[in-house]
């Protein structure tokens, strides 16, 4: 496979600059007024714009997905079709973690029936860790892509090798996360909610009761 090293270097520098400046909103930065579904979707797709679009061209956050999260009791239900800061915080964490885990395991990481104070604490901790790990990851990529970026002697570390290195790093990170979940009593292999994942993946339409 042929790679344009100059193009990759350009993209990596743009990506690094973006991620160094990017932060998830803190609890106090979330809207204090309750929002309708369409407002929530627009807001979340803005907050999470670093995630790629889905294969069908949709963004990460859709009304169907939100309705499924509510129906499967992964997040609290809206109140009179409106979503509060608690809902927004849940959705940011769910959509972020869903990039790594099946939705049934996201449910194990983010408990339901938390008080607002508990959600605030959990969410702010998540935002802080997201920032810290993001900056650490940037440094690791800079090191791995040294020959491409020009701050290490040229070698065989072209775009193909970098892709493999990042993929293997992701593999080990997911394996460790699975082990940690197992230690917390969650069977990642069998999973008690695999049938729920099938329901989510079906995207079987919106529930009019939950949308504007």
């Amino acid at each position: 496979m042929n790679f344009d090293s100059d193009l990759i270097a350009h993209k990596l520098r743009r990506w690094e600059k973006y991620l160094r400046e990017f932060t998830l909103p803190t609890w106090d930065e979330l809207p204090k007024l309750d929002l309708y579904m369409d407002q929530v979707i627009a807001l979340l797709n803005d907050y999470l714009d670093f995630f790629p679009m889905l294969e069908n061209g949709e963004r990460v956050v859709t009304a169907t997905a939100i309705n499924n999260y509510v129906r499967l009791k992964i997040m609290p239900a809206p109140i009179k079709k409106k979503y509060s800061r608690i809902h927004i915080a849940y959705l940011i964490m769910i959509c972020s973690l869903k990039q790594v885990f099946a939705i049934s395991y996201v449910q194990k990481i983010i408990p339901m029936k938390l008080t607002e104070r508990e959600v605030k604490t959990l969410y702010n901790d998540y935002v802080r860790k997201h920032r810290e790990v993001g900056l650490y990851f940037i440094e690791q990529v800079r090191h791995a892509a040294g020959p491409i970026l020009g701050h290490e002697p040229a070698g065989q570390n072209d775009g193909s090798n970098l892709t493999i290195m990042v993929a293997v790093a992701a593999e080990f990170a997911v394996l460790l996360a699975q082990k940690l979940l197992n230690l917390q009593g969650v069977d990642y292999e069998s999973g008690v909610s695999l049938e729920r994942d099938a329901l989510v993946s079906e995207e079987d339409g919106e529930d009019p009761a939950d949308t504007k």
Side-chain angles (χ1 to χ4, degrees), residues 37 40-41 44-45 48 54 56 58-78 83 87 90-92 94-96 98-99 103 106 196-197 199-207 210-211:
M37 174 72 84
V40 170
I41 292 172
L44 287 171
N45 280 321
L48 303 173
L54 304 178
N56 59 7
E58 289 187 329
R59 298 305 299 263
V60 172
V61 186
T62 64
T64 299
I66 293 175
N67 286 330
N68 278 324
Y69 300 153
V70 172
R71 177 162 54 87
L72 299 175
K73 301 187 185 304
I74 300 167
M75 61 172 283
Y83 297 79
H87 297 101
Y90 264 97
L91 282 167
I92 289 173
I94 290 170
C95 292
S96 180
K98 190 172 178 286
Q99 306 303 305
I103 196 64
V106 175
R196 293 184 175 182
D197 289 341
L199 289 173
V200 171
S201 64
E202 287 173 3
E203 294 192 352
D204 53 359
E206 300 176 5
D207 181 354
D210 291 338
T211 57

Side-chain angles (χ1 to χ4, degrees), residues 80-136:
K80 296 181 179 180
K81 299 184 181 180
K82 285 191 172 184
Y83 297 79
S84 68
R85 278 199 293 188
I86 290 177
H87 297 101
I88 303 299
Y90 264 97
L91 282 167
I92 289 173
M93 292 187 288
I94 290 170
C95 292
S96 180
L97 289 171
K98 190 172 178 286
Q99 306 303 305
V100 179
F101 290 115
I103 196 64
S104 56
Y105 300 106
V106 175
Q107 184 181 27
K108 304 298 182 182
I109 297 172
I110 310 173
M112 278 279 286
K113 298 181 179 179
L114 298 178
T115 66
E116 181 170 334
R117 180 183 294 273
E118 289 171 332
V119 174
K120 177 180 179 180
T121 299
L122 175 65
Y123 177 74
N124 277 335
D125 285 345
Y126 185 87
V127 170
R128 185 176 65 255
K129 292 170 185 173
H130 193 277
R131 176 66 174 166
E132 290 173 354
V133 175
L135 293 176
Y136 172 78

